[in-house]
Amino acid sequence: MPVRLVPSFRTVRRVVAFATIPAAIAITIQDNLYEITPVTGSSMAPTLSPDYELEGRSDRLLWSKVSASANLTRGGLVIYTNPQHSERTAVKRVVALEGDTVILDPRRRPGTLDRTTGREDLDRVQAKAWDQMAPKFEVPFGHVWVEGDNWRKSNDSNNFGPISKSLIIGSSPVIVFPWARLGTKPWDVRRRSGTRVVKGTQGVPPEVFRDMFE
Amino acid sequence: MLARLFHRPQLRLPILRRSSPIHRLRRHASTWRTRFIPSIKILRIPTLRAIHIPSIRDLRMPTPKAIQATAYWIARVSNYVILFFIGYHIFITHFFVYGPVYGISMLPTFNNSGDWVLTSSHYRRGRDLQVGDLITFTHPIKADTQSLKRVLGMPGDFVLRDTPGTSGVMQQVPEGHCWVAGDNQEWSRDSRMFGPLPLGLVKGKVVARKAAGEWLLRGLGEPWAEPEVD
């Protein structure tokens, strides 16, 4: 019996369907419902990825993507598109919501640490912007103030200011790796933080945009 | 293919006409032996001509076979619906979006209503974006709305911060952001009000526009560059 060299249309269709349909389903679920991402970097140490600097091990979190920017709480974790690099995402803690007044922590001023990574110019520019925000800064409408737990290594709102809530992709995460901490939320523990927040009223849009919310 | 979804499987018997060869050969035969087709008697498949008059017993509970057939039908239809939604989502986020636009902030480039635009998602998150492009983006203040404006500055560029003729202050667009403005400056809420727009919010770039029944591939440049057409 001759060997079939060219696969039949039915075989090709079946192989293509087996390859593309599960991938498409996974992509759609990831974009709209739930996504698992690794936490790279040590900006949230020791809460998340405590061994990242030494061993490169990162924790994995399961994020809820449905209505991510609604129902934000102070102290909760969010994943957002990096405002400085649009192709990357970052994981930080929401410290202040819109309308709150943030009393900035002098330890978190950009450029206070002796960094020799070639970021001196950027640190100087960001330090000037930080000085304009200090000592008290009111978070504008539609924005949140995010900070990483590791104040020494965190590129957060102290560097680039408050971020728009539209940038937030996911919230309410749960740890799925490592197995020892599966299902826990260790960031719910109240930590002593140098940044203090004065709670304010929320949900009052500025005059220019008021008609969009009626 | 769609018709097959909505029909229950039926056994199709060959139609034997009186002019067929077997009839011509046995025209003078006194007896006809029909083939015994057991499947009909066992499954009792109703034909299109049979009229089913429901009795009081039928109203109590559908047969297990009927339930199974209905479940299969629901599963097959919902399968196709789910696959269609998934394909639609992948197409929207990675390829093109075609939708209507409303508002006066982009006059005279776009009409107040009745315009439809084709947006290419290749330019999402600011990839290959240039000054002068028309982009759609998620609104930075209201996350569930999308806006359409024109890019006036990319990261590093210097742009006028306020309306021309007011303060004259220039601002440099920070890294990872762009400066957007509407073509109708008096009635547009853009970067003069909400500041530089993060490129992560950009959803796509307008590549074609359908206005009042005709497709326009030109006419998307800056209003001051194109000659006025009467």
Side-chain angles (χ1 to χ4, degrees):
Chain A
M1 189 155 139
V3 175
R4 186 190 282 275
L5 290 172
V6 176
S8 67
F9 172 71
R10 236 196 280 158
T11 316
V12 170
R13 192 179 70 174
R14 200 175 300 161
V15 168
V16 166
F18 270 40
T20 57
I21 291 183
I25 295 175
I27 291 176
T28 308
I29 292 179
Q30 270 194 340
D31 289 347
N32 296 59
L33 296 175
Y34 295 102
E35 186 178 2
I36 297 180
T37 63
V39 178
T40 58
S42 53
S43 60
M44 288 299 294
T47 319
L48 291 174
S49 295
D51 302 322
Y52 190 80
E53 292 281 302
L54 293 172
E55 301 180 35
R57 270 207 302 254
S58 47
D59 293 353
R60 273 127 181 110
L61 300 177
L62 174 77
W63 298 92
S64 161
K65 300 206 142 189
V66 184
S67 299
S69 53
N71 306 321
L72 293 172
T73 56
R74 298 177 188 90
L77 259 63
V78 290
I79 183 167
Y80 58 91
T81 311
N82 197 324
Q84 292 168 325
H85 305 100
S86 58
E87 306 277 345
R88 302 187 208 159
T89 57
V91 173
K92 296 281 182 295
R93 190 190 292 263
V94 170
V95 166
L97 302 172
E98 60 193 2
D100 295 348
T101 305
V102 183
I103 301 171
L104 300 179
D105 184 5
R107 275 188 322 183
R108 291 178 179 263
R109 180 177 182 271
T112 44
L113 292 176
D114 195 18
R115 261 203 263 246
T116 52
T117 54
R119 286 186 43 150
E120 291 86 9
D121 286 342
L122 186 61
D123 281 347
R124 212 174 322 125
V125 169
Q126 290 178 348
K128 270 210 300 196
W130 191 95
D131 290 336
Q132 288 182 348
M133 288 193 290
K136 281 193 298 202
F137 179 76
E138 184 183 345
V139 181
F141 180 79
H143 291 67
V144 292
W145 188 271
V146 291
E147 277 183 3
D149 287 352
N150 189 1
W151 63 270
R152 293 179 180 87
K153 273 220 167 271
S154 176
N155 187 33
D156 51 31
S157 283
N158 289 287
N159 301 74
F160 47 74
I163 62 166
S164 163
K165 285 208 290 192
S166 310
L167 281 173
I168 293 174
I169 308 168
S171 57
S172 312
V174 174
I175 291 187
V176 293
F177 186 84
W179 307 115
R181 298 204 284 167
L182 175 68
T184 62
K185 298 193 185 190
W187 50 87
D188 277 349
V189 175
R190 208 88 188 88
R191 304 187 75 239
R192 194 169 43 92
S193 148
T195 312
R196 284 168 293 154
V197 170
V198 176
K199 296 190 175 74
T201 55
Q202 293 152 38
V204 183
E207 191 65 50
V208 191
F209 299 107
R210 197 150 296 169
D211 63 293
M212 290 173 65
F213 291 88
E214 275 155 17
Chain B
M1 188 182 81
L2 267 178
R4 279 168 53 190
L5 271 179
F6 301 101
H7 286 149
R8 298 251 202 94
Q10 286 183 350
L11 190 66
R12 278 194 302 210
L13 299 173
I15 299 173
L16 209 57
R17 296 183 216 276
R18 295 271 163 83
S19 54
S20 72
I22 188 63
H23 277 98
R24 279 192 266 121
L25 279 173
R26 288 183 57 81
R27 194 155 299 175
H28 305 291
S30 58
T31 59
W32 270 80
R33 182 174 306 209
T34 55
R35 264 198 331 192
F36 177 62
I37 306 176
S39 48
I40 296 183
K41 292 204 175 152
I42 290 174
L43 285 183
R44 292 179 197 276
I45 295 174
T47 63
L48 283 171
R49 294 200 204 132
I51 299 171
H52 179 70
I53 303 168
S55 68
I56 193 67
R57 267 192 304 167
D58 297 330
L59 295 175
R60 274 192 299 185
M61 188 67 193
T63 63
K65 273 258 177 291
I67 296 177
Q68 190 187 36
T70 314
Y72 277 142
W73 180 88
I74 291 176
R76 287 173 71 190
V77 171
S78 53
N79 241 14
Y80 283 110
V81 166
I82 289 174
L83 280 178
F84 172 77
F85 170 71
I86 288 173
Y88 177 75
H89 170 82
I90 299 279
F91 188 77
I92 291 282
T93 53
H94 290 82
F95 297 106
F96 294 100
V97 180
Y98 183 61
V101 291
Y102 305 104
I104 58 170
S105 65
M106 289 299 289
L107 288 169
T109 316
F110 291 102
N111 298 318
N112 182 25
S113 62
D115 277 7
W116 285 61
V117 293
L118 182 70
T119 308
S120 168
S121 299
H122 167 83
Y123 301 88
R124 63 186 182 279
R125 301 203 204 97
R127 182 155 71 136
D128 296 341
L129 211 58
Q130 288 174 342
V131 171
D133 289 346
L134 290 161
I135 57 166
T136 56
F137 56 91
T138 308
H139 202 277
I141 306 291
K142 195 164 194 280
D144 50 9
T145 45
Q146 289 201 1
S147 302
L148 194 162
K149 297 279 182 283
R150 192 182 296 275
V151 174
L152 288 194
M154 290 301 280
D157 295 347
F158 288 90
V159 294
L160 204 60
R161 196 187 65 185
D162 302 312
T163 311
T166 51
S167 68
V169 173
M170 302 285 280
Q171 177 176 347
Q172 188 175 27
V173 180
E175 177 192 12
H177 292 69
C178 61
W179 193 269
V180 293
D183 290 346
N184 190 2
Q185 290 258 297
E186 291 100 43
W187 294 100
S188 166
R189 284 177 295 201
D190 43 44
S191 283
R192 294 170 294 159
M193 286 84 188
F194 54 69
L197 177 79
L199 283 171
L201 294 178
V202 174
K203 287 284 173 288
K205 169 183 155 179
V206 175
V207 292
R209 164 182 154 236
K210 178 177 174 293
E214 50 169 302
W215 278 97
L216 289 177
L217 292 166
R218 301 167 290 108
L220 297 176
E222 287 94 334
W224 56 88
E226 307 261 324
E228 290 232 351
V229 178
D230 288 314

